[in-house]
Amino acid sequence: MKRVTAPCIAQILLASTALGWALPAAAGETATADETGNADILVTARRRTESLQNVPLSIQALGTETLQQQNVSSFDGYARLLPSLSFQSFGPGQAQIAFRGINNAGDGLDAGSTPTTGTYIDEIPITTIGGTPDLHIYDIARVEALAGPQGTLFGASSMSGTLRIITNKPDPTKFEAGYDVSLTKYGKGDPGGSLEGFVNFPVAENAAIRLVGYYQKDGGYIDNVFGERTYTLDQPDPEISKTVNNAKLVKDNFNPVTNYGGRAALKVDLDEDWAITPQFIYQKSEAKGAFLFDPRVGDLKVRDFSPSYNNDEWWQAALTIEGKIGNWDLVYSGGYFKRHLENEIDYSYYTVAYDTYGYYATYFPDGNGGFLDPTQRQKLNYHYTKHTQEVRISSPSDQPLRFTGGLFYQRQTNDIDAQYFIPGIGSVPPEGLIWFQPIIDDTVYLKRLDRVDSDYAIYGELSYDITPDLTVNGGIRGFRAENSLVGFSGFSYNIDENCLPTDNPDIPCVNVHAYGATTPIPNKTRETGETHKLNISWRVEPGKMVYATYSTGFRPGGVNRKPAYGAYKSDSLSNFEVGWKTGWFDGTLRWNGAIFYQKWKDMQFALARPGDAGVTSLTNVGGAESKGIESDILLRFGAVELSAAGSYTDAKLTSDFCEEGGDGSISCTPKGTRLPIQPKLKGNASVRYNFPINTSDAFVQGALQFQSSSRSFLMDRDVAAVGYTGGFATFDFSAGAKFASGITAELFVLNAFDKRGELSRNTACAPSYCGPFYRSYPVRPQFFGIRVGQRF
């Protein structure tokens, strides 16, 4: 694999360095004129409507036009445009995200840590464990990416940063509508396409409804190829074996995705000061096959021996009330979010590991003179809910002393059902089961747990203009976080004297409960604390600002599945940052940036303790730090626009991290070791040329995305098993025109040269077992498309 060379990256970064850029606002996109006279996106990163260039914090805002120009329709699409954002993923709706490298690759466990990054739709958080919901990007006003702790205004799980998706709202003053139709095809894969549309229509002088609908089908690009596997069955006679194959699952391009849904919002202006906006969002994604490929099998190929799919269905009902009390602004936002995830991936390499290491876990005589296929499978079934309430009040923004404060409440639940099963094992005679005894039907390992996380907070921020050009801002948030867990987790031999009787027919007994309990009551923990922020900004001259920030963030703790291990506490992040936002030459050039240092304390990490097969526990293991620079630039001259963004992030451990193996050996990862997932260098650049053709406005565009190598695991022994991802660069090209009739047409190709960049490597089971069978999550391969749309 070719690597991006240091000179190449240096040239790009020297030509483009900034943070918080935005292209000109598209029609219908909220915009204003900045101090240089240029159009600038309005953002609400500080819970007030402000010009992007006047917000003294590290923020990138990808507006409607930018999202459309870069052909963004999903999380993977806009993640490549955010240099400070990193993620690992198993496919659509399964990404674990972080800013500035605050990631130890241990998130995503259903009974583990909450994410380090908060995700919002408008005012409502939708963060869930197990992967960020992947809202289809259409009729979106902007994506706001706030790097660094946002603990004061956004609270829990915004420790590394906050990602906000802001939808377009109903507008009672005008009718507008539009549609877009696309046909797409992966270069060596299957075709697909999409149909999208929106309409905004006033229903009265003071009310409007906005409806959005979409259907998208992406073709597959990974092949499941034929393979055979012979198990030695781990029993005394080496002549006895079992050969199986995957013939029934062989298929080319077996990972298509179907995604459909919509939004409906109503806005009613009750009078000049008060408005109410209910909104409902529904989305369902059906993804088949695998989205990580096996390089040992071939390019974009796997050899799966069990079904793979991910069905993700969710909806959110939200209500926003905006008004004034005197000249103060009051905002109430409430929401209810419900999500159902059903997932299977190829888990068969765990069986290979059992067979390889001789654990007697593949020897199952069927009682008829033969042997059962020992291939183990996994099925995850998660039901999430999230109930959120927030009320916020803000003083007038034109006063030298300004205040924003509020109250926040959130309760989220996760109904966990994870089954690891071997088809047919429930019918094997008991004397043939040396290792695995089924718990329910064919299930040999079972997790059925009820998890509840609650957050309560009160917060406030105060800003004061010492002079018209010098402002100081401070904030604090007091919080209380609660976590509880109850149910069953384990193998048949975990049904012992510590497993309490229950009336629940879906579980054999309750072994996850309060420590020392004699009745099946939940294991609970509660924490209180505070986060704070101090910021000072100086407008050197119109259009040029510098700022300095000290801020903190936190992530709540929780309880472990094994009661004896007790609770793990919250971890925290301290951020020290200086930045600048500048415009030059009457708005022709915009250059923003930030330099940061972050200290991660009491880092939560999931590990498997000796003797606890199949059960990981959470603990606080020490600290890490992240330092770097992020910067971007926007240059306009005549019909040409140049834009770019890049980051350098050096995230590493500040203390040794040692772990005991099952054989009593000690494995240490020393301080100074890089944190996983985040590459040291990541960036993008684009050039766009606009020109007229008769009565039409045409364009051509080229774009580049690049990143350096990264590791996918924290522990050195795991990295030794799977290796590093390599650096890569991809190129996109597009051309199109807007005609006088309002019709637009565009041709595009993403990853034009079909570079096989790896974003992360992962395994279906612990790398110590399955490391030799790791798989790679690639950037989207070569992707062609044609899109036609119209606005009314």
Side-chain angles (χ1 to χ4, degrees), residues 731-773:
F731 293 85
D732 306 333
F733 300 100
S734 59
K738 181 178 180 179
F739 302 96
S741 61
I743 294 177
T744 60
E746 179 180 359
L747 295 170
F748 60 88
V749 54
L750 308 181
N751 194 1
F753 306 114
D754 201 28
K755 295 298 182 182
R756 198 66 64 241
E758 292 179 277
L759 294 170
S760 62
R761 295 178 176 180
N762 222 318
T763 58
C765 62
S768 55
Y769 294 114
C770 297
F773 314 109

Side-chain angles (χ1 to χ4, degrees), residues 208-247:
I209 294 176
R210 194 175 192 98
L211 302 175
V212 179
Y214 48 85
Y215 176 90
Q216 180 174 339
K217 174 71 176 290
D218 287 337
Y221 53 85
I222 291 180
D223 300 335
N224 190 29
V225 300
F226 178 80
E228 289 186 332
R229 179 177 289 160
T230 299
Y231 295 106
T232 62
L233 302 184
D234 292 332
Q235 47 78 45
D237 187 351
E239 298 300 321
I240 298 178
S241 61
K242 177 77 174 182
T243 298
V244 300
N245 64 58
N246 66 343

